[in-house]
Amino acid sequence: MARRTDRPSYRCTECGWSTAKWLGRCPECQAWGTVEEVGAAPAVKTTAAARVTSPALPIGRVDGHRVVARSTGVPELDRVLGGGLVPGAVVLLAGEPGVGKSTLLLDVAAKASSPEHPTLYVTGEESAGQVRLRADRIDAIAEDLYLVAETDLSAILGQLDAVKPELLVLDSVQTVASPEIDGAPGGVAQVREVAGALIRASKERGMSTLLVGHVTKDGAIAGPRLLEHLVDVVLHFEGDRHARLRLVRGVKNRYGATDEVGCFELHDSGITSLADPSGLFLTRRSEPVPGTCLTVTLEGRRPLVAEVQALTVDSQIPSPRRTTSGLETSRVSMILAVLEQRGRIGALGKNDIYTATVGGVRLSEPAADLAVALALASAASDTPLPQNLVAVGEVGLAGEVRRVTGVQRRLAEAARLGFTRALVPVDPGEVPAGMKVVEVSDIGEALRVLPARPRRTRDAPERSGESERSGQSGGGAGGSPLSGGGR
């Protein structure tokens, strides 16, 4: 009997992964029961050396003028991209449903189009008429902006030959399918093939490409992880759908920094860049109110002044409520424990406590700890903090106030907006002129900024001395280290 020399081959119908033996679960996409026999395994081939089409050059002789970034017409997006769109670059923008991805990219497509730089907008989720209605609403009608509703990859590549765009916008990559690949649109194999074909087309034509990506319920980009490795730039579009603020955060960028953040405001007539978004996070009032404190947070490298609010009321139930909005619940609980044990504020454990931020901003960095602690102490004692005061610092379990990064940038932003007083950890560095800065080492020293001693707080021991720094000569007077005139 003749001996069979060829071996069977197996392939996953979900992601296309191949193997020489059958497995119940695909190790690539973790799907069960998708590995099927497809025939004999292909013979192993080796690649021979071919003729060189483009010789290697010293890096100093490579022409870099062809890859100069071009502005998108949206300043905040240019900021995150590192100056604009580089020819041949592929950008992946992902975000929650309804956050404003399509609105932003339609605005970019209209502003970036010109007779020398035509733009092709491909929609796979909506009809062309629906996109036209959105374009009328946000004033995104441009003569050199071409629109097509298409979900077939081969048809989209044909549109590239017909229009020859300088910018391609695809909304979204999970809705497009290739007829050469088995599987439904959005599958692992389909997303890999579609992304690979569009990336090759972008590099060959020198065409910039903006891809919209879906996210899973955990917030990760849907599809294979290979998609994020293939593209040049990965951006995350974030924001609470009940708030106006939207943030575009760079996660990966081959042409610029990855710690930049762009701020946008979403409204009825579209989406606009916010060069100075701090005003969204502040409440303007003529008189100080107990339970409020200002801080300066860093979103990437951008400092933003934000307001923390706290409210304490007598609890009517055995287990008091702890409600937070815009703050981490575990972090607020830790600060409450520090205030009770280290700050000697004993009334907090029996009260309902509510903490929130203004404008929908989320404060997750530890630098906001000191502002949260002062807001809670102010609410518990019903004593307002001094006007024009900002607090920056991380609070530890021992009650110490730790140093944080970017203190000088935070103070410079606060001074630019007119704030004259700051509470910071020890050794903040250079202080802006005209700003009075008090350095504190623990939570007990920080609580002394309250103009009057809290009625529900035991007296803290007096300090023998205070470490103060000011951009101008002179010091404070009175019972509080920050007492004095306003702006």
Side-chain angles (χ1 to χ4, degrees):
M1 179 181 293
R3 188 175 182 182
R4 185 177 179 180
T5 58
D6 56 339
R7 298 177 59 190
S9 175
Y10 299 88
R11 186 175 66 185
C12 175
T13 58
E14 181 67 23
C15 68
W17 179 80
S18 300
T19 181
K21 63 179 181 179
W22 182 85
L23 296 172
R25 185 180 188 181
C26 175
E28 177 71 16
C29 64
Q30 306 300 321
W32 288 93
T34 58
V35 179
E36 298 179 357
E37 184 176 353
V38 294
V44 178
K45 299 180 181 180
T46 59
T47 303
R51 183 177 179 180
V52 176
T53 56
S54 57
L57 296 175
I59 191 171
R61 295 173 55 188
V62 175
D63 186 10
H65 297 288
R66 294 185 177 181
V67 290
V68 176
R70 181 171 66 93
S71 175
T72 62
V74 181
E76 287 299 297
L77 185 59
D78 290 342
R79 177 191 183 109
V80 183
L81 292 174
L85 287 171
V86 175
V90 180
V91 180
L92 177 64
L93 177 66
E96 296 285 343
V99 75
K101 303 184 297 295
S102 301
T103 302
L104 174 62
L105 292 187
L106 183 58
D107 184 52
V108 170
K111 292 181 177 178
S113 62
S114 65
E116 297 80 14
H117 303 92
T119 300
L120 176 62
Y121 189 100
V122 180
T123 174
E125 300 180 345
E126 303 172 281
S127 65
Q130 289 175 316
V131 177
R132 171 58 194 269
L133 290 177
R134 182 187 296 115
D136 290 332
R137 178 172 58 86
I138 67 174
D139 193 19
I141 303 297
E143 187 67 27
D144 299 290
L145 172 58
Y146 296 84
L147 174 64
V148 62
E150 190 59 69
T151 58
D152 186 84
L153 177 60
S154 57
I156 294 175
L157 296 177
Q159 292 285 352
L160 297 181
D161 294 331
V163 179
K164 296 181 173 57
E166 293 290 325
L167 172 62
L168 169 66
V169 179
L170 176 60
D171 186 10
S172 65
V173 68
Q174 277 87 3
T175 61
V176 179
S178 171
E180 306 296 330
I181 302 296
D182 296 332
V188 176
Q190 286 288 0
V191 171
R192 180 187 292 128
E193 175 64 21
V194 171
L198 292 178
I199 290 173
R200 289 191 298 270
S202 298
K203 304 301 181 183
E204 294 171 358
R205 300 168 181 267
M207 171 189 68
S208 303
T209 301
L210 293 173
L211 304 177
V212 176
H214 295 168
V215 296
T216 63
K217 62 182 180 180
D218 298 326
I221 299 177
R225 193 73 176 184
L226 180 65
L227 178 61
E228 299 177 56
H229 290 287
L230 289 176
V231 299
D232 300 308
V233 182
V234 179
L235 305 178
H236 274 277
F237 204 11
E238 306 170 358
D240 186 356
R241 64 175 56 199
H242 302 294
R244 297 182 298 168
L245 178 68
R246 297 292 186 270
L247 299 178
V248 175
R249 192 183 306 274
V251 178
K252 171 188 175 182
N253 193 347
R254 290 174 177 166
Y255 310 110
T258 57
D259 57 353
E260 284 287 0
V261 173
C263 298
F264 298 86
E265 182 180 8
L266 188 65
H267 43 76
D268 294 339
S269 58
I271 189 168
T272 55
S273 299
L274 284 177
D276 189 9
S278 294
L280 291 177
F281 314 136
L282 302 177
T283 302
R284 301 297 181 183
R285 53 176 67 92
S286 58
E287 296 294 333
V289 177
T292 63
C293 185
L294 301 179
T295 187
V296 186
T297 181
L298 283 181
E299 288 290 349
R301 291 187 295 180
R302 164 178 284 183
L304 301 176
V305 178
E307 180 178 340
V308 178
Q309 296 182 344
L311 178 65
T312 62
V313 295
D314 293 335
S315 179
Q316 305 299 322
I317 56 178
S319 299
R321 296 183 180 90
R322 300 288 186 266
T323 304
T324 62
S325 176
L327 298 166
E328 293 185 355
T329 304
S330 58
R331 199 81 191 174
V332 174
S333 299
M334 185 201 74
I335 295 173
L336 285 171
V338 172
L339 285 175
E340 291 189 30
Q341 184 68 23
R342 309 298 181 185
R344 302 296 189 264
I345 302 179
L348 293 174
K350 302 178 182 179
N351 292 346
D352 292 336
I353 298 177
Y354 305 88
T355 55
T357 58
V358 174
V361 65
R362 295 194 61 85
L363 300 181
S364 57
E365 63 168 345
D369 289 353
L370 188 56
V372 176
L374 290 177
L376 289 168
S378 173
S381 62
D382 197 24
T383 304
L385 292 166
Q387 281 188 308
N388 305 325
L389 170 68
V390 295
V392 176
E394 178 183 358
V395 177
L397 291 179
E400 76 277 14
V401 179
R402 302 171 183 168
R403 297 180 60 184
V404 295
T405 60
V407 174
Q408 296 181 17
R409 274 185 291 165
R410 300 173 196 262
L411 294 180
E413 176 68 11
R416 185 185 69 84
L417 294 176
F419 296 97
T420 57
R421 311 172 185 182
L423 205 65
V424 297
V426 176
D427 193 16
E430 186 179 355
V431 174
M435 174 168 281
K436 184 176 182 180
V437 174
V438 174
E439 302 173 21
V440 294
S441 59
D442 57 54
I443 193 65
E445 295 180 2
L447 292 179
R448 292 189 60 191
V449 302
L450 291 171
R453 296 186 186 276
R455 294 192 301 267
R456 285 171 279 182
T457 305
R458 288 189 290 177
D459 292 346
E462 295 290 341
R463 291 189 300 161
S464 59
E466 295 170 350
S467 175
E468 296 191 10
R469 291 192 179 189
S470 177
Q472 297 178 344
S473 60
S480 169
L482 289 175
S483 60
R487 269 188 274 185

